[in-house]
Amino acid sequence: MKLSFWTKLIICFLMLFAADKLIGVIMNYAVMHVKNGSIYEMKYKLFEARPSIIILGSSRANHHYNTHLIEEKFQKKTINYGQDGTGILYYFLVLKTLMKYHKPDMVIVDVKPDEFAPLPNFNPLSTLYPFIDKVAIETRDLEQISPYENLQLKSNAYRFNNQVIETFSSMRGSKEDTQSITGYLPLPAEKRSLKKIDYSNTQFESSMFSYFLQLIELCKKNNIKLVLCASPYYYNVMYDKSIKEAEQVCKKENIQFLNYFNNRLHYFPEELFRDEGHLNGEGADIFTKDFLSRIQ
């Protein structure tokens, strides 16, 4: 019997739907059984670590805050949640998710240049997608990425996107094979000449700034100590609207804000930087020690 076009279309749709569901079952099983790598690290940090002190931020948080030195200072478990290419929307959702399972005592937020600028073209939330059912994320948050992001996430295949190979390869070995279970990754020193150019930024997105205010409110509501910091930057920062707005809010809310831009608080010469935006491992140790000496 010859099938009509619409019957074939419906059959194809049902087959795709079934395949997507099957992919979801397989990938969810794989994610729950990863033993190392970035997906294991994320799963551990979000749902198992239960730290007393957390560091939030992008790559500058990831590479600048030595968790071992912080733990040594306070004698409390410290986890660095810094993630390359992310921003305030990501930080807020990570903190909100952590609060579902455990309340930290202290939150350190590293504020990067252009923190409240419009989101970049790539998706800063993609590393959370394998755990999307457990992450404290709402439709309005996903709409910051795309008007259709919530709909696309109905697909199990979309959630895992480019992480399929990494997920299955991470099912072997042990957590010792993970680069850094505490989240801190020091950058190696590299001999190169850096340019001391002037940096200025006026971009400002009110929706991103609103997440900053929500993060502050979440900490206040739960009696969590909050410290903000603009860690060292090699460029000469002439003006940055994000930093200016963050400093004004912190002053009003009586929140400590440590601004290391332009060597305001401590001198960081060229040899302590890996590149214009990041300290190397030696620089990170010096910065962390100075930062800890200034926390009120």
Side-chain angles (χ1 to χ4, degrees):
M1 187 177 88
K2 190 174 180 180
L3 299 176
S4 68
F5 168 78
W6 292 108
T7 303
K8 292 178 180 178
L9 187 64
I10 291 171
I11 292 173
C12 286
F13 177 80
L14 291 174
M15 289 176 66
L16 288 172
F17 180 79
D20 186 72
K21 286 292 183 184
L22 180 61
I23 289 172
V25 171
I26 295 171
M27 290 305 299
N28 282 323
Y29 175 85
V31 165
M32 296 311 296
H33 290 81
V34 290
K35 297 178 179 178
N36 58 69
S38 61
I39 295 177
Y40 172 81
E41 180 187 340
M42 181 63 72
K43 183 178 73 167
Y44 170 76
K45 292 197 300 185
L46 285 178
F47 312 116
E48 300 170 24
R50 299 181 180 274
S52 294
I53 301 172
I54 70 171
I55 297 109
L56 300 174
S58 60
S59 60
R60 291 160 53 73
N62 186 206
H63 304 308
H64 288 183
Y65 296 80
N66 188 324
T67 51
H68 307 296
L69 294 175
I70 297 172
E71 281 192 345
E72 191 178 276
K73 164 83 173 180
F74 293 108
Q75 294 297 301
K76 290 187 176 184
K77 188 172 185 178
T78 303
I79 296 290
N80 192 321
Y81 291 82
Q83 184 74 31
D84 292 10
T86 57
I88 190 65
L89 170 59
Y90 176 86
Y91 319 157
F92 173 69
L93 294 178
V94 166
L95 178 59
K96 197 174 167 187
T97 298
L98 291 174
M99 294 294 291
K100 291 174 62 178
Y101 307 95
H102 171 72
K103 187 181 82 170
D105 300 320
M106 180 190 296
V107 173
I108 298 167
V109 181
D110 185 87
V111 185
K112 70 178 187 294
D114 68 13
E115 188 69 74
F116 309 131
L119 288 176
N121 293 326
F122 56 85
N123 188 343
L125 303 182
S126 59
T127 55
L128 299 176
Y129 282 3
F131 314 100
I132 196 69
D133 294 330
K134 295 182 178 181
V135 174
I137 189 168
E138 300 177 27
T139 300
R140 61 183 179 182
D141 304 321
L142 293 169
E143 287 174 348
Q144 299 294 331
I145 307 299
S146 162
Y148 312 105
E149 196 68 12
N150 191 50
L151 180 62
Q152 292 180 113
L153 277 169
K154 301 298 181 184
S155 164
N156 291 284
Y158 180 77
R159 296 182 185 188
F160 298 98
N161 221 353
N162 299 322
Q163 298 171 311
V164 176
I165 295 176
E166 181 186 354
T167 302
F168 284 108
S169 64
S170 299
M171 293 179 72
R172 296 181 178 182
S174 64
K175 70 177 183 180
E176 284 72 28
D177 300 321
T178 303
Q179 277 189 299
S180 174
I181 202 65
T182 66
Y184 169 60
L185 281 175
L187 292 173
E190 186 176 288
K191 289 186 177 180
R192 56 185 299 185
S193 180
L194 303 181
K195 296 180 180 179
K196 191 75 171 179
I197 63 175
D198 292 340
Y199 170 88
S200 184
N201 175 69
T202 57
Q203 287 187 304
F204 187 82
E205 178 68 51
S206 58
S207 61
M208 293 301 105
F209 186 63
S210 72
Y211 282 107
F212 175 64
L213 299 178
Q214 290 179 66
L215 187 149
I216 290 175
E217 186 59 32
L218 185 59
C219 289
K220 285 175 61 179
K221 182 179 178 181
N222 290 278
N223 198 29
I224 299 171
K225 179 176 175 60
L226 177 62
V227 178
L228 268 77
C229 181
S231 58
Y233 200 59
Y234 188 73
Y235 286 153
N236 181 33
V237 181
M238 303 293 289
Y239 177 80
D240 186 283
K241 188 170 178 60
S242 294
I243 301 302
K244 181 182 178 182
E245 294 293 334
E247 283 186 311
Q248 288 180 347
V249 170
C250 288
K251 185 177 181 180
K252 179 181 177 183
E253 299 289 343
N254 195 29
I255 298 169
Q256 187 174 19
F257 189 112
L258 298 171
N259 189 343
Y260 282 83
F261 284 3
N262 302 337
N263 289 332
R264 287 189 198 177
L265 300 177
H266 189 92
Y267 179 62
F268 292 87
E270 181 180 353
E271 57 266 25
L272 294 181
F273 285 86
R274 169 61 185 264
D275 54 47
E276 286 82 359
H278 302 89
L279 294 164
N280 58 36
E282 181 185 357
D285 286 349
I286 293 172
F287 159 69
T288 303
K289 290 175 182 177
D290 188 80
F291 169 79
L292 290 172
S293 72
R294 297 177 188 275
I295 292 181
Q296 293 172 355

